[in-house]
Amino acid sequence: MKYDFDYLIVGSGFGGSVSALRLAEKGYSVGVMEMGCRWETDTLPKTSWNIRRWMWKPWVGLRGFFNIRLFRHVMVLHGNAVGGGSITYANTLLVPKDSVWRDGSWSGLEDWESVMPGHFNTAKRMLGVTENRIMGPADILLKEAAEECGRGDSFYRTQVGVFFGDEGEVQGKRYPDPYFDGQGPERNSCIGCGGCMVGCRYNAKNSLDKNYLYLAERRGAQVFEETRVINIKPLNGGEGEQGYEVTTQSSRLFGGLLRKRRWRVRGVVVSASSLGTQELLFKLRDKGSLPNISDQLGRRVRTNAESLIGVRLPGDPEMDKGIAIGSGFYLDEHTHIEATRYPRGSDAIGFLLTALARGQPGYRRIFTWLRTLLKLLLTKPLLAAPLLLPFNMARQTLIFLCMQTLEGHIDLRYQRRWYWPFSKTLQSFGPKIPTFIPQANEFAFNMARRIGGLAGSVITEVLFDIPVTAHCMGGAAMGKTAEDGVIDSRGRVFGYQNLYVCDGAMLGANLGVNPSLTITALSEHTMSHIPPKQAA
């Protein structure tokens, strides 16, 4: 049988890029289908106000790389681009505590605490992980606050995928490839502009298009941008033993109606992000293309129990200086807080921010919030008025990303909404996710009093009792059998051959830290078990 590729990879994020390189190294022909666009340093938007080039909503003509999806339980922030979420993520690459391997659906499937350190080391080397060297004003304030609350010993500079150059050299200096013995692209040292999450325009961020994916393309992997996978079907009605027929279409507005194509491949790696992978597998199971997908699909979706809060300050305190997430500390055993920032001028996300209010979740908290706003406007009008507007948000706001390792999850299902019976969509179910972390909120209030600012939070938490996360995980998690999970400990989809999941969907527990490094390491683990291609 003639094949177009040995392996077709759906998505080019952390799982997809790792898979592309490792399979290409083993002699396989590889095609990568990415529904987002390819970005270069000179084509990225200068600020987030350039909505058309920042936001990803192709059906209304927005072809950027940042996306927001709202569910009944949570609002998810994620990325779409060649390089996946690495284009818009905050560079933070942390190893979770060993205890996460003893929790959740993957517990006991492998001797994880012995197996994973080697893969984490490989992932760190490939992503250029190093300690943050640029302590901005926000990081200094966070360090002082950690010391004041008796947790100064837990303060750390983040481990990040950023190139800082040689000590003592001018920022922004150009260097030959510093990572891969000259096989990678030239790099520039970081200038500390805070622009990591709106795309690094200064060639210092170690996004996947500069390491894994870059090297994969040099070894022959082909990346097809603005291409969406709409069907994956085993050849000859089998379970994938003879391969798959994959149908793609353009992700451009109206483009999918005209440009469809079918590919024959030996194997498929689904790496479309946790949400994208779940949605695709649900569709394929529903239409009968992959009917054997486990009923565990969509179960135990986790969010790191996150909360976004902050403190807004008057004047120009330069909260935008530094890297996107430069430092953090542990408020207690289960809760850690990171100092986060956007670059000067990128204030569009400020529409989501409002005054932080006490009170319990539910409609009564709305009235508490309204009283808080009224009191602030009457007693501190010069401080409170800017809080209601997004302008100057980046340079004035000390943003805290709070995460917890406590267990908690929701379920996603693929069904019709009562008010729109014409098509199905992902919907969330289960117990409500906590919309705020009380001890983190108190930390923000105390910080605001200490430095003369106003504490803030995300408006969806107040008005709709819905938290925000940038770390959607699980939904096609590992398990011992199809009754426990969607894939096994080596990423293989139960019920099929040569079909893998390698992205955030495979995670089996709340990590409590940014998940990108763990996804990379687990993808290395999965790819390590695929043997090299044998000569014909």
Side-chain angles (χ1 to χ4, degrees):
M1 187 178 295
K2 184 178 179 181
Y3 295 96
D4 296 293
F5 294 106
D6 292 318
Y7 280 93
L8 185 143
I9 299 171
V10 186
S12 62
F14 289 94
S17 292
V18 171
S19 302
L21 175 58
R22 298 313 179 201
L23 290 170
E25 287 178 335
K26 293 182 179 187
Y28 296 103
S29 58
V30 176
V32 181
M33 305 298 163
E34 170 55 57
M35 70 176 181
C37 305
R38 187 185 289 269
W39 296 89
E40 306 293 343
T41 54
D42 57 350
T43 62
L44 288 161
K46 293 182 179 179
T47 76
S48 61
W49 289 115
N50 189 344
I51 301 296
R52 186 179 66 85
R53 299 181 65 77
W54 179 53
M55 292 290 296
W56 170 259
K57 298 290 182 186
W59 51 91
V60 292
L62 305 182
R63 296 174 53 245
F65 47 83
F66 177 72
N67 200 2
I68 299 176
R69 292 193 64 174
L70 181 64
F71 297 90
R72 187 165 66 91
H73 289 73
V74 66
M75 183 164 67
V76 180
L77 314 179
H78 61 106
N80 294 87
V82 174
S86 74
I87 303 301
T88 187
Y89 89 131
N91 317 309
T92 310
L93 297 163
L94 303 178
V95 178
K97 294 180 178 180
D98 287 342
S99 59
V100 302
W101 305 110
R102 301 189 289 272
D103 298 329
S105 64
W106 55 23
S107 177
L109 298 184
E110 301 263 1
D111 184 7
W112 297 112
E113 291 178 51
S114 298
V115 168
M116 290 308 297
H119 295 307
F120 273 111
N121 288 338
T122 300
K124 287 179 180 179
R125 176 177 57 82
M126 293 295 300
L127 296 174
V129 178
T130 187
E131 185 176 82
N132 172 36
R133 290 191 205 164
I134 302 175
M135 286 282 285
D139 303 302
I140 294 170
L141 286 173
L142 186 67
K143 186 175 189 297
E144 292 172 353
E147 292 169 349
E148 278 199 7
C149 63
R151 300 290 295 179
D153 58 338
S154 70
F155 179 85
Y156 60 88
R157 296 183 182 220
T158 47
Q159 297 291 306
V160 293
V162 176
F163 179 61
F164 293 105
D166 295 331
E167 292 277 5
E169 289 288 343
V170 64
Q171 293 178 338
K173 179 180 176 180
R174 196 162 188 85
Y175 292 80
D177 167 44
Y179 297 110
F180 306 111
D181 298 324
Q183 299 302 305
E186 293 183 333
R187 309 306 305 279
N188 291 68
S189 57
C190 179
I191 65 171
C193 70
C196 316
M197 291 193 290
V198 295
C200 178
R201 297 187 296 115
Y202 300 98
N203 196 33
K205 182 179 183 180
N206 293 342
S207 48
L208 294 165
D209 56 324
K210 293 180 172 62
N211 41 69
Y212 278 106
L213 199 58
Y214 180 92
L215 297 174
E217 290 188 274
R218 289 196 57 154
R219 288 182 172 270
Q222 298 181 51
V223 178
F224 299 83
E225 62 176 313
E226 296 185 275
T227 302
R228 184 193 306 271
V229 172
I230 59 174
N231 200 13
I232 302 171
K233 189 173 183 179
L235 290 170
N236 299 326
E239 295 181 350
E241 64 274 11
Q242 295 186 47
Y244 296 86
E245 180 185 81
V246 180
T247 305
T248 62
Q249 67 179 24
S250 171
S251 62
R252 282 176 171 262
L253 182 64
F254 305 125
L257 301 176
L258 304 174
R259 289 154 49 188
K260 288 187 179 180
R261 183 172 175 180
R262 289 178 172 83
W263 313 76
R264 286 192 169 196
V265 298
R266 297 179 188 273
V268 176
V269 182
V270 183
S271 302
S273 82
S274 175
L275 284 181
T277 289
Q278 290 178 77
E279 190 164 37
L280 177 59
L281 294 182
F282 268 122
K283 289 179 179 178
L284 298 181
R285 189 175 68 183
D286 272 20
K287 69 168 59 175
S289 295
L290 296 175
N292 299 336
I293 295 291
S294 168
D295 289 338
Q296 295 299 306
L297 180 63
R299 303 285 181 87
R300 298 183 297 275
V301 178
R302 296 174 167 89
T303 66
N304 263 347
E306 289 180 338
S307 178
L308 279 173
I309 56 178
V311 177
R312 187 145 181 182
L313 298 164
D316 186 5
E318 297 189 322
M319 294 295 105
D320 56 306
K321 300 299 183 184
I323 63 171
I325 297 180
S327 61
F329 82 101
Y330 282 83
L331 188 59
D332 57 41
E333 181 184 358
H334 300 291
T335 309
H336 97 272
I337 297 177
E338 295 176 336
T340 307
R341 76 215 74 198
Y342 279 87
R344 183 164 301 220
S346 288
D347 303 319
I349 200 75
F351 281 112
L352 296 176
L353 303 181
T354 188
L356 178 61
R358 290 184 168 86
Q360 295 301 311
Y363 72 92
R364 291 186 181 87
R365 194 175 180 217
I366 297 176
F367 297 107
T368 303
W369 169 69
L370 289 172
R371 286 196 300 270
T372 300
L373 279 182
L374 182 60
K375 181 180 178 181
L376 288 172
L377 287 170
L378 291 174
T379 61
K380 301 178 180 179
L382 295 180
L383 280 178
L387 188 67
L388 303 178
L389 301 172
F391 310 109
N392 299 319
M393 182 279 301
R395 66 184 178 90
Q396 292 181 333
T397 307
L398 171 54
I399 305 171
F400 300 128
L401 173 59
C402 310
M403 291 177 279
Q404 292 190 309
T405 54
L406 299 175
E407 176 60 17
H409 60 264
I410 59 174
D411 292 337
L412 293 180
R413 301 174 193 167
Y414 188 65
Q415 60 187 45
R416 290 177 173 83
R417 297 183 184 275
W418 65 268
Y419 57 83
W420 187 257
F422 307 105
S423 60
K424 293 183 177 181
T425 185
L426 282 181
Q427 299 177 50
S428 62
F429 294 86
K432 294 288 291 183
I433 300 173
T435 51
F436 65 97
I437 301 171
Q439 58 269 47
N441 283 3
E442 286 305 312
F443 173 79
F445 280 122
N446 293 335
M447 172 72 89
R449 281 193 295 268
R450 187 172 71 84
I451 62 178
L454 293 177
S457 68
V458 177
I459 197 166
T460 58
E461 295 184 4
V462 176
L463 297 184
F464 309 115
D465 198 18
I466 295 176
V468 174
T469 184
H471 303 140
C472 186
M473 304 173 291
M478 296 179 184
K480 187 175 182 180
T481 67
E483 285 69 44
D484 308 309
V486 176
I487 60 175
D488 66 10
S489 63
R490 298 179 181 179
R492 298 172 293 195
V493 176
F494 290 119
Y496 293 95
Q497 299 180 38
N498 307 315
L499 180 62
Y500 297 82
V501 170
C502 279
D503 59 21
M506 64 183 168
L507 301 184
N510 248 10
L511 301 180
V513 297
N514 318 63
S516 301
L517 186 66
T518 302
I519 296 169
T520 305
L522 281 170
S523 300
E524 289 278 9
H525 168 72
T526 294
M527 290 298 113
S528 71
H529 291 94
I530 296 180
K533 183 177 181 178
Q534 295 182 354

